[in-house]
């Protein structure tokens, strides 16, 4: 049974993760909201100039399109912050979503990620998978300075989904400023994995996670 002190340490790691993701989440949401504002301003100018017909319809439709995009981005972030209890997800789109979420803070860092999922339609517990994969990506970028190439390879083996995440130094310029938040470490990732009962092996700029596949 986990002690209160242990639970507090796990929650502290989660707080660090959220602090690191906050800027990227804000950037993603503000980008979508600004797109709505631009579309609305364009439509307003057309109305002011008494533009009618297809030109006005197209401008109004852009508002609708941008609103749906903003709603989708908001849902994605909210689902990561507080996923539905017991929800599951297919591995491949989940990996892509985790890379996208972590990637919001990589813009100036010179970090690129490639994914290779050999899991078919295998599903895993959504909340656990998202938390551990994002934590792993952030930990690797904290532990390995400069620009990086990160490879994510997922395979299904005997009812399990094994995800290998490896970071390699890349020959690109990194202009990312120093982030004041404390760095995430392999120990942090191991602690989160232990809290979820997930096998986790870390070392040599590589993290390997082993999830239980959920039957369709």
């Amino acid at each position: 049974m986990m002690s209160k002190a242990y639970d507090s340490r796990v929650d502290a790691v989660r707080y660090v993760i959220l602090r690191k993701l906050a800027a990227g989440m804000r950037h993603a949401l503000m980008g979508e909201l600004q797109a709505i504002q631009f579309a609305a301003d364009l439509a307003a100018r057309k109305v002011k100039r008494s533009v009618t017909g297809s030109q006005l319809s197209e401008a109004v439709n852009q508002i609708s399109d941008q609103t749906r995009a903003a709603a989708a981005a908001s849902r994605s972030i909210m689902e990561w912050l507080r996923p539905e209890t017991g929800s599951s997800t297919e591995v491949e789109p989940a990996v892509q979503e985790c890379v996208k979420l972590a990637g919001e803070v990589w813009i100036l860092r010179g970090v690129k990620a490639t994914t290779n999922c050999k899991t078919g339609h295998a599903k895993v517990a959504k909340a656990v998978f998202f938390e551990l994969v994002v934590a792993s990506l952030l930990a690797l970028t904290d532990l390995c300075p400069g620009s990086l190439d990160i490879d994510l390879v997922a395979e299904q083996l005997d009812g399990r989904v094994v995800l290998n995440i490896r970071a390699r130094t890349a020959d690109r310029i990194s202009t990312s400023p120093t982030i004041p938040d404390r760095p995430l470490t392999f120990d942090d990732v191991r602690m989160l994995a232990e809290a979820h009962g997930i096998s986790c092996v870390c070392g040599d700029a590589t993290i390997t996670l082993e999830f239980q596949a959920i039957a369709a």
Side-chain angles (χ1 to χ4, degrees), residues 103-136:
E104 291 289 349
V105 300
W106 294 345
I107 296 174
L108 299 178
R109 174 66 189 272
V111 178
K112 294 184 179 180
T114 59
T115 63
N116 182 11
C117 295
K118 309 168 186 177
T119 53
H121 297 290
K123 290 187 175 183
V124 291
K126 185 174 185 177
V128 174
F129 190 86
F130 270 45
E131 181 171 81
L132 287 176
V133 175
V134 170
S136 297

Side-chain angles (χ1 to χ4, degrees), residues 63 90 193:
I63 300 175
E90 287 192 8

Side-chain angles (χ1 to χ4, degrees), residues 74-92:
S74 299
R75 281 195 301 271
S76 177
I77 291 174
M78 291 304 106
E79 286 174 2
W80 190 88
L81 293 173
R82 187 171 292 278
E84 182 182 348
T85 302
S87 61
S88 62
T89 179
E90 287 192 8
V91 174
E92 186 167 5

Side-chain angles (χ1 to χ4, degrees), residues 38-197:
F38 294 152
D41 289 345
L42 175 62
R45 288 196 297 271
K46 289 184 179 295
V47 170
K48 188 174 181 178
R49 298 202 307 268
S50 299
V51 174
T52 59
S54 60
Q55 289 188 37
L56 180 59
S57 296
E58 182 179 344
V60 172
N61 287 338
Q62 285 184 21
I63 300 175
S64 179
D65 292 341
Q66 296 296 345
T67 300
R68 282 195 293 271
S74 299
R75 281 195 301 271
S76 177
I77 291 174
M78 291 304 106
E79 286 174 2
W80 190 88
L81 293 173
R82 187 171 292 278
E84 182 182 348
T85 302
S87 61
S88 62
T89 179
E90 287 192 8
V91 174
E92 186 167 5
V95 169
Q96 298 291 346
E97 189 67 23
C98 290
V99 168
K100 180 180 179 182
L101 183 61
E104 291 289 349
V105 300
W106 294 345
I107 296 174
L108 299 178
R109 174 66 189 272
V111 178
K112 294 184 179 180
T114 59
T115 63
N116 182 11
C117 295
K118 309 168 186 177
T119 53
H121 297 290
K123 290 187 175 183
V124 291
K126 185 174 185 177
V128 174
F129 190 86
F130 270 45
E131 181 171 81
L132 287 176
V133 175
V134 170
S136 297
L137 291 170
L138 295 177
L140 286 171
T141 55
D142 280 349
L143 290 166
C144 304
S147 57
L148 299 171
D149 285 322
I150 299 179
D151 302 316
L152 297 91
V153 179
E155 298 180 283
Q156 186 173 9
L157 301 170
D158 299 326
R160 296 168 291 116
V161 170
V162 179
L163 177 63
N164 184 272
I165 309 173
R166 182 169 65 98
R168 297 175 288 113
T169 301
D171 186 19
R172 287 189 295 273
I173 296 175
S174 174
T175 59
S176 178
T178 301
I179 304 299
D181 297 320
R182 84 157 176 87
L184 286 170
T185 66
F186 283 158
D187 285 341
D188 293 327
V189 178
R190 291 190 192 99
M191 184 181 295
L192 287 178
E194 183 182 21
H196 289 299

Side-chain angles (χ1 to χ4, degrees), residues 25-48:
M25 289 178 173
R26 182 177 65 246
H27 178 267
L29 287 176
M30 288 305 299
E32 298 293 352
L33 293 175
Q34 285 176 344
I36 295 175
Q37 180 182 354
F38 294 152
D41 289 345
L42 175 62
R45 288 196 297 271
K46 289 184 179 295
V47 170
K48 188 174 181 178

